[in-house]
Amino acid sequence: MTEIRVYDLHTHSSYSDGQLPPAELVARAAASGVEVLALTDHDTTAGLGEARAAAGARGIEVVDGVEISVTWGGRTVHIVGLQIDPAQPELQQGLARLREFREWRADEIGRRLCKAGIEGATEGARRLARQGLVSRTHFAQFLVAAGYAPDVRRVFKRFLVHGKPGHVPGQWATLADAVRWIRAAGGQAVIAHPARYRLTSTHLHKLLGEFRDAGGAGLEVVCGSHSRDDALRFAHLAGRFGLLASAGSDYHGPENYYMDLGPLPPLPEGCLPVWRSWPTAPPSEAGLPEVASVLG
Ligand code: AMP
Ligand code: MN
Ligand code: MN
Ligand code: MN
């Protein structure tokens, strides 16, 4: 390949649980050498207009994206949508329902933490979320600031995960709905950070099979929470299941865990990149054969 562009197809702004407003995220990404950036906030597309407006003069391309919360097999799985039309009504209705659930869940997390002796958590989390939707990240930030744990990671472990006082079980979108909304909006659905679900290989294969059969397009092979071994493993699985490969940092802001913005490690050899059919893909990456024909 003669020309390789720098892609980061998974990032968050302050419209969900990222720290930076979209314009600052885009500026920072451009300054770090990213050439194609997808903004993929949790369950909202509210930041896309600002991100696009900021991209104009900076020589960076913004891809319209979203990260949809899904419940699959009793656990939460995240599905990234890329190249979506944010105006598509079916997508927006679906996302609106998820945000309503978030609002209810925020109150419920607060009630449960209150029973555990922690007051004011919902108000605190909403204050930290400012104009964005409220997420467990904001609860975690509130709890750290109130001195209940030394850092966000430990606060999740002690308060916000299954079996802990602030955990609220619930039903996000189904896998099939999330894929359908993304496709209805003209986008490609990608399973985010697959290594984080810690699925047995039986469950993982079931997820990948169901996702592909529902019309899913890709798998995040390179991402901020993947080791190189994870990337190689998921590159292999993507090929086996006829899925394209994506790459994204899952950047949440300068003070957040995971990694900084900037060029990501390359996709392992043999991957078909999710961007291969995008109009702006360089000639060396465009026009590659369909996955099916590669796999025979
Ligand atoms: P929510 O969608 O509101 O349930 O919040 C999920 C978000 O919390 C994820 O997107 C991560 O940004 C963050 N998160 C989840 N688990 C952890 C963890 N163990 N440590 C730190 N952040 C986490
Ligand atoms: Mn997040
Ligand atoms: Mn995620
Ligand atoms: Mn994410």
Side-chain angles (χ1 to χ4, degrees):
M1 278 181 199
T2 51
E3 184 194 353
I4 296 188
R5 298 181 81 199
V6 179
Y7 290 83
D8 185 343
L9 302 179
H10 185 158
T11 63
H12 295 274
S13 78
S14 52
Y15 279 95
S16 65
D17 59 350
Q19 280 180 286
L20 301 177
E24 280 177 45
L25 173 75
V26 168
R28 194 175 168 109
S32 315
V34 175
E35 293 168 306
V36 184
L37 178 82
L39 175 59
T40 56
D41 276 316
H42 298 288
D43 307 324
T44 181
T45 58
L48 295 176
E50 284 174 40
R52 275 200 172 285
R58 294 186 190 273
I60 183 169
E61 184 191 325
V62 166
V63 170
D64 287 330
V66 67
E67 182 175 15
I68 301 182
S69 308
V70 160
T71 302
W72 182 85
R75 57 187 98 219
T76 302
V77 168
H78 286 169
I79 304 296
V80 161
L82 297 173
Q83 300 284 18
I84 51 162
D85 168 9
Q88 209 282 331
E90 193 180 352
L91 171 69
Q92 286 305 337
Q93 280 156 22
L95 298 180
R97 272 217 321 271
L98 294 178
R99 292 195 299 271
E100 271 170 37
F101 172 68
R102 270 184 185 282
E103 286 300 309
W104 173 85
R105 186 190 65 159
D107 289 330
E108 184 61 23
I109 293 174
R111 279 192 286 273
R112 291 184 187 213
L113 287 175
C114 209
K115 280 192 196 149
I118 301 171
E119 283 176 24
T122 305
E123 296 71 24
R126 286 216 170 95
R127 213 166 28 245
L128 289 166
R130 285 170 299 168
Q131 91 274 34
L133 53 71
V134 62
S135 84
R136 284 186 299 161
T137 305
H138 302 112
F139 279 92
Q141 289 164 350
F142 167 81
L143 289 166
V144 170
Y148 288 101
D151 56 53
V152 162
R153 232 177 230 293
R154 267 174 280 190
V155 109
F156 264 91
K157 256 201 174 128
R158 290 182 197 170
F159 295 100
L160 298 174
V161 297
H162 194 74
K164 301 299 158 145
H167 177 74
V168 177
Q171 195 66 40
W172 297 106
T174 66
L175 182 65
D177 278 349
V179 172
R180 195 162 40 77
W181 302 337
I182 290 166
R183 286 173 61 106
Q188 291 164 292
V190 172
I191 299 180
H193 43 63
R196 285 210 356 227
Y197 311 127
R198 306 196 178 286
L199 296 166
T200 62
S201 66
T202 311
H203 281 115
L204 180 60
H205 292 185
K206 189 163 182 274
L207 172 66
L208 297 180
E210 280 182 28
F211 175 71
R212 181 205 44 212
D213 293 347
L219 190 57
E220 242 172 39
V221 165
V222 163
C223 89
S225 51
H226 277 185
S227 66
R228 197 61 190 162
D229 278 351
D230 290 331
L232 294 171
R233 175 167 165 242
F234 286 105
H236 175 77
L237 280 169
R240 199 171 137 191
F241 281 84
L243 294 167
L244 302 170
S246 188
S249 61
D250 203 6
Y251 182 74
H252 279 72
E255 280 162 29
N256 251 297
Y257 55 102
Y258 298 139
M259 63 196 315
D260 205 356
L261 288 166
L264 291 159
L267 289 177
E269 220 169 299
C271 284
L272 292 180
V274 70
W275 55 82
R276 85 202 197 296
S277 58
W278 296 0
T280 51
S284 56
E285 291 174 359
L288 290 170
E290 288 303 314
V291 182
S293 64
V294 169
L295 295 174

